[in-house]
Amino acid sequence: MARVIEFRPAEEVPESLTLRAGDLLMVWATGGRIRAGTDSLDLLGPFLIGVLGNDGQVHVPEGPPSMVALLARRPGRAEVQFALGHPWPAIRWTAMTFVVE
């Protein structure tokens, strides 16, 4: 069964992470880009996180995106860079390798 995995990059991120095909990875980052391996991993975000209010409306805070979604499609390896922090004045980039089984 596929999993939804939430990941909060800290100062030090693991060099690699193993996923199963069908897994959805939600990463707390302001952006991201796949540097290699687009056949095994799809970048679906970035997104702003919204909540459903009692009034039936979706409420979203102002500001930069807060999450990037990645979908593990098929076995392979992918290299992804994540943008951490606010886009102003500078973004800090961190890289990870993903292995999809």
Side-chain angles (χ1 to χ4, degrees):
M1 174 166 287
R3 305 167 293 179
V4 176
I5 303 164
E6 183 179 338
F7 174 61
R8 292 180 181 265
E11 289 298 317
E12 294 185 30
V13 297
E15 289 183 22
S16 68
L17 179 64
T18 300
L19 302 171
R20 293 185 226 156
D23 284 353
L24 178 65
L25 182 66
M26 301 297 291
V27 181
W28 287 89
T30 55
R33 56 187 172 207
I34 299 176
R35 304 298 289 176
T38 55
D39 54 333
S40 61
L41 202 61
D42 286 340
L43 180 68
L44 304 177
F47 297 100
L48 286 170
I49 300 299
V51 296
L52 182 60
N54 293 336
D55 59 0
Q57 299 293 316
V58 176
H59 300 276
V60 180
E62 291 187 23
S66 50
M67 251 188 187
V68 174
L70 295 158
L71 181 61
R73 289 282 186 193
R74 61 189 58 82
R77 292 178 69 88
E79 294 177 22
V80 180
Q81 286 183 314
F82 295 107
L84 304 178
H86 294 285
W88 308 278
I91 293 175
R92 181 173 59 91
W93 289 92
T94 188
M96 287 183 68
T97 298
F98 293 91
V99 177
V100 179
E101 295 180 332

PDB file of all heavy atoms in Angstrom, residues 49-68:
ATOM      1  N   ILE A  49      -0.208  25.670   2.075  1.00  0.00           N
ATOM      2  CA  ILE A  49      -1.061  24.820   2.898  1.00  0.00           C
ATOM      3  C   ILE A  49      -2.321  25.592   3.254  1.00  0.00           C
ATOM      4  O   ILE A  49      -2.263  26.700   3.784  1.00  0.00           O
ATOM      5  CB  ILE A  49      -0.321  24.388   4.189  1.00  0.00           C
ATOM      6  CG1 ILE A  49       0.943  23.604   3.829  1.00  0.00           C
ATOM      7  CG2 ILE A  49      -1.236  23.567   5.087  1.00  0.00           C
ATOM      8  CD1 ILE A  49       0.693  22.340   3.047  1.00  0.00           C
ATOM      9  N   GLY A  50      -3.464  25.011   2.951  1.00  0.00           N
ATOM     10  CA  GLY A  50      -4.740  25.633   3.269  1.00  0.00           C
ATOM     11  C   GLY A  50      -5.520  24.770   4.252  1.00  0.00           C
ATOM     12  O   GLY A  50      -5.267  23.577   4.372  1.00  0.00           O
ATOM     13  N   VAL A  51      -6.430  25.380   4.947  1.00  0.00           N
ATOM     14  CA  VAL A  51      -7.296  24.650   5.883  1.00  0.00           C
ATOM     15  C   VAL A  51      -8.750  25.003   5.573  1.00  0.00           C
ATOM     16  O   VAL A  51      -9.065  26.108   5.152  1.00  0.00           O
ATOM     17  CB  VAL A  51      -6.978  24.974   7.366  1.00  0.00           C
ATOM     18  CG1 VAL A  51      -5.586  24.509   7.740  1.00  0.00           C
ATOM     19  CG2 VAL A  51      -7.130  26.447   7.653  1.00  0.00           C
ATOM     20  N   LEU A  52      -9.629  24.041   5.786  1.00  0.00           N
ATOM     21  CA  LEU A  52     -11.052  24.257   5.580  1.00  0.00           C
ATOM     22  C   LEU A  52     -11.635  24.862   6.843  1.00  0.00           C
ATOM     23  O   LEU A  52     -11.555  24.285   7.927  1.00  0.00           O
ATOM     24  CB  LEU A  52     -11.746  22.928   5.254  1.00  0.00           C
ATOM     25  CG  LEU A  52     -13.234  23.013   4.955  1.00  0.00           C
ATOM     26  CD1 LEU A  52     -13.495  23.907   3.749  1.00  0.00           C
ATOM     27  CD2 LEU A  52     -13.792  21.620   4.724  1.00  0.00           C
ATOM     28  N   GLY A  53     -12.201  26.040   6.694  1.00  0.00           N
ATOM     29  CA  GLY A  53     -12.777  26.736   7.845  1.00  0.00           C
ATOM     30  C   GLY A  53     -14.211  26.317   8.093  1.00  0.00           C
ATOM     31  O   GLY A  53     -14.848  25.649   7.278  1.00  0.00           O
ATOM     32  N   ASN A  54     -14.720  26.715   9.256  1.00  0.00           N
ATOM     33  CA  ASN A  54     -16.114  26.433   9.615  1.00  0.00           C
ATOM     34  C   ASN A  54     -17.105  27.074   8.647  1.00  0.00           C
ATOM     35  O   ASN A  54     -18.257  26.665   8.571  1.00  0.00           O
ATOM     36  CB  ASN A  54     -16.405  26.917  11.039  1.00  0.00           C
ATOM     37  CG  ASN A  54     -15.640  26.115  12.061  1.00  0.00           C
ATOM     38  OD1 ASN A  54     -15.258  24.977  11.802  1.00  0.00           O
ATOM     39  ND2 ASN A  54     -15.402  26.709  13.215  1.00  0.00           N
ATOM     40  N   ASP A  55     -16.633  28.077   7.907  1.00  0.00           N
ATOM     41  CA  ASP A  55     -17.499  28.773   6.949  1.00  0.00           C
ATOM     42  C   ASP A  55     -17.548  28.074   5.592  1.00  0.00           C
ATOM     43  O   ASP A  55     -18.176  28.558   4.661  1.00  0.00           O
ATOM     44  CB  ASP A  55     -17.032  30.222   6.789  1.00  0.00           C
ATOM     45  CG  ASP A  55     -15.584  30.320   6.310  1.00  0.00           C
ATOM     46  OD1 ASP A  55     -14.926  29.269   6.105  1.00  0.00           O
ATOM     47  OD2 ASP A  55     -15.101  31.458   6.134  1.00  0.00           O
ATOM     48  N   GLY A  56     -16.866  26.929   5.462  1.00  0.00           N
ATOM     49  CA  GLY A  56     -16.856  26.186   4.209  1.00  0.00           C
ATOM     50  C   GLY A  56     -15.862  26.706   3.196  1.00  0.00           C
ATOM     51  O   GLY A  56     -15.782  26.210   2.081  1.00  0.00           O
ATOM     52  N   GLN A  57     -15.057  27.689   3.562  1.00  0.00           N
ATOM     53  CA  GLN A  57     -14.044  28.265   2.679  1.00  0.00           C
ATOM     54  C   GLN A  57     -12.665  27.691   3.010  1.00  0.00           C
ATOM     55  O   GLN A  57     -12.402  27.310   4.152  1.00  0.00           O
ATOM     56  CB  GLN A  57     -13.999  29.790   2.845  1.00  0.00           C
ATOM     57  CG  GLN A  57     -15.298  30.483   2.505  1.00  0.00           C
ATOM     58  CD  GLN A  57     -15.620  30.383   1.026  1.00  0.00           C
ATOM     59  OE1 GLN A  57     -14.762  30.572   0.174  1.00  0.00           O
ATOM     60  NE2 GLN A  57     -16.873  30.065   0.726  1.00  0.00           N
ATOM     61  N   VAL A  58     -11.810  27.642   2.002  1.00  0.00           N
ATOM     62  CA  VAL A  58     -10.421  27.239   2.226  1.00  0.00           C
ATOM     63  C   VAL A  58      -9.626  28.496   2.548  1.00  0.00           C
ATOM     64  O   VAL A  58      -9.632  29.462   1.777  1.00  0.00           O
ATOM     65  CB  VAL A  58      -9.830  26.531   0.985  1.00  0.00           C
ATOM     66  CG1 VAL A  58      -8.365  26.205   1.211  1.00  0.00           C
ATOM     67  CG2 VAL A  58     -10.627  25.273   0.671  1.00  0.00           C
ATOM     68  N   HIS A  59      -8.942  28.485   3.687  1.00  0.00           N
ATOM     69  CA  HIS A  59      -8.153  29.627   4.137  1.00  0.00           C
ATOM     70  C   HIS A  59      -6.667  29.303   3.955  1.00  0.00           C
ATOM     71  O   HIS A  59      -6.200  28.254   4.393  1.00  0.00           O
ATOM     72  CB  HIS A  59      -8.448  29.945   5.600  1.00  0.00           C
ATOM     73  CG  HIS A  59      -9.892  30.286   5.823  1.00  0.00           C
ATOM     74  ND1 HIS A  59     -10.392  31.545   5.622  1.00  0.00           N
ATOM     75  CD2 HIS A  59     -10.948  29.519   6.200  1.00  0.00           C
ATOM     76  CE1 HIS A  59     -11.684  31.554   5.868  1.00  0.00           C
ATOM     77  NE2 HIS A  59     -12.052  30.328   6.227  1.00  0.00           N
ATOM     78  N   VAL A  60      -5.964  30.224   3.297  1.00  0.00           N
ATOM     79  CA  VAL A  60      -4.553  30.041   2.990  1.00  0.00           C
ATOM     80  C   VAL A  60      -3.795  31.273   3.465  1.00  0.00           C
ATOM     81  O   VAL A  60      -4.193  32.405   3.147  1.00  0.00           O
ATOM     82  CB  VAL A  60      -4.339  29.857   1.466  1.00  0.00           C
ATOM     83  CG1 VAL A  60      -2.875  29.672   1.141  1.00  0.00           C
ATOM     84  CG2 VAL A  60      -5.165  28.694   0.954  1.00  0.00           C
ATOM     85  N   PRO A  61      -2.694  31.085   4.206  1.00  0.00           N
ATOM     86  CA  PRO A  61      -1.929  32.248   4.644  1.00  0.00           C
ATOM     87  C   PRO A  61      -1.188  32.885   3.470  1.00  0.00           C
ATOM     88  O   PRO A  61      -0.894  32.230   2.481  1.00  0.00           O
ATOM     89  CB  PRO A  61      -0.940  31.659   5.656  1.00  0.00           C
ATOM     90  CG  PRO A  61      -0.770  30.250   5.216  1.00  0.00           C
ATOM     91  CD  PRO A  61      -2.093  29.832   4.657  1.00  0.00           C
ATOM     92  N   GLU A  62      -0.912  34.170   3.596  1.00  0.00           N
ATOM     93  CA  GLU A  62      -0.105  34.845   2.592  1.00  0.00           C
ATOM     94  C   GLU A  62       1.351  34.489   2.818  1.00  0.00           C
ATOM     95  O   GLU A  62       1.754  34.156   3.917  1.00  0.00           O
ATOM     96  CB  GLU A  62      -0.297  36.357   2.677  1.00  0.00           C
ATOM     97  CG  GLU A  62      -1.665  36.795   2.243  1.00  0.00           C
ATOM     98  CD  GLU A  62      -1.783  38.305   2.165  1.00  0.00           C
ATOM     99  OE1 GLU A  62      -0.745  38.982   2.021  1.00  0.00           O
ATOM    100  OE2 GLU A  62      -2.909  38.787   2.254  1.00  0.00           O
ATOM    101  N   GLY A  63       2.132  34.545   1.772  1.00  0.00           N
ATOM    102  CA  GLY A  63       3.555  34.271   1.881  1.00  0.00           C
ATOM    103  C   GLY A  63       4.003  33.253   0.860  1.00  0.00           C
ATOM    104  O   GLY A  63       3.238  32.860  -0.026  1.00  0.00           O
ATOM    105  N   PRO A  64       5.236  32.813   0.987  1.00  0.00           N
ATOM    106  CA  PRO A  64       5.787  31.864   0.014  1.00  0.00           C
ATOM    107  C   PRO A  64       5.183  30.471   0.196  1.00  0.00           C
ATOM    108  O   PRO A  64       4.566  30.181   1.225  1.00  0.00           O
ATOM    109  CB  PRO A  64       7.280  31.866   0.336  1.00  0.00           C
ATOM    110  CG  PRO A  64       7.344  32.209   1.773  1.00  0.00           C
ATOM    111  CD  PRO A  64       6.209  33.178   1.998  1.00  0.00           C
ATOM    112  N   PRO A  65       5.341  29.607  -0.783  1.00  0.00           N
ATOM    113  CA  PRO A  65       4.878  28.220  -0.638  1.00  0.00           C
ATOM    114  C   PRO A  65       5.511  27.573   0.583  1.00  0.00           C
ATOM    115  O   PRO A  65       6.595  27.959   1.024  1.00  0.00           O
ATOM    116  CB  PRO A  65       5.362  27.538  -1.915  1.00  0.00           C
ATOM    117  CG  PRO A  65       5.668  28.625  -2.863  1.00  0.00           C
ATOM    118  CD  PRO A  65       6.020  29.827  -2.048  1.00  0.00           C
ATOM    119  N   SER A  66       4.832  26.572   1.120  1.00  0.00           N
ATOM    120  CA  SER A  66       5.348  25.935   2.329  1.00  0.00           C
ATOM    121  C   SER A  66       5.630  24.443   2.150  1.00  0.00           C
ATOM    122  O   SER A  66       6.285  23.850   2.991  1.00  0.00           O
ATOM    123  CB  SER A  66       4.370  26.135   3.487  1.00  0.00           C
ATOM    124  OG  SER A  66       3.066  25.776   3.099  1.00  0.00           O
ATOM    125  N   MET A  67       5.144  23.833   1.076  1.00  0.00           N
ATOM    126  CA  MET A  67       5.350  22.398   0.883  1.00  0.00           C
ATOM    127  C   MET A  67       5.563  22.070  -0.577  1.00  0.00           C
ATOM    128  O   MET A  67       4.987  22.695  -1.456  1.00  0.00           O
ATOM    129  CB  MET A  67       4.144  21.609   1.383  1.00  0.00           C
ATOM    130  CG  MET A  67       4.427  20.859   2.630  1.00  0.00           C
ATOM    131  SD  MET A  67       3.080  19.769   3.048  1.00  0.00           S
ATOM    132  CE  MET A  67       3.726  19.286   4.618  1.00  0.00           C
ATOM    133  N   VAL A  68       6.387  21.068  -0.794  1.00  0.00           N
ATOM    134  CA  VAL A  68       6.615  20.508  -2.124  1.00  0.00           C
ATOM    135  C   VAL A  68       6.154  19.063  -2.071  1.00  0.00           C
ATOM    136  O   VAL A  68       6.459  18.343  -1.115  1.00  0.00           O
ATOM    137  CB  VAL A  68       8.118  20.571  -2.500  1.00  0.00           C
ATOM    138  CG1 VAL A  68       8.378  19.852  -3.803  1.00  0.00           C
ATOM    139  CG2 VAL A  68       8.584  22.009  -2.576  1.00  0.00           C
TER     140      VAL A  68
END
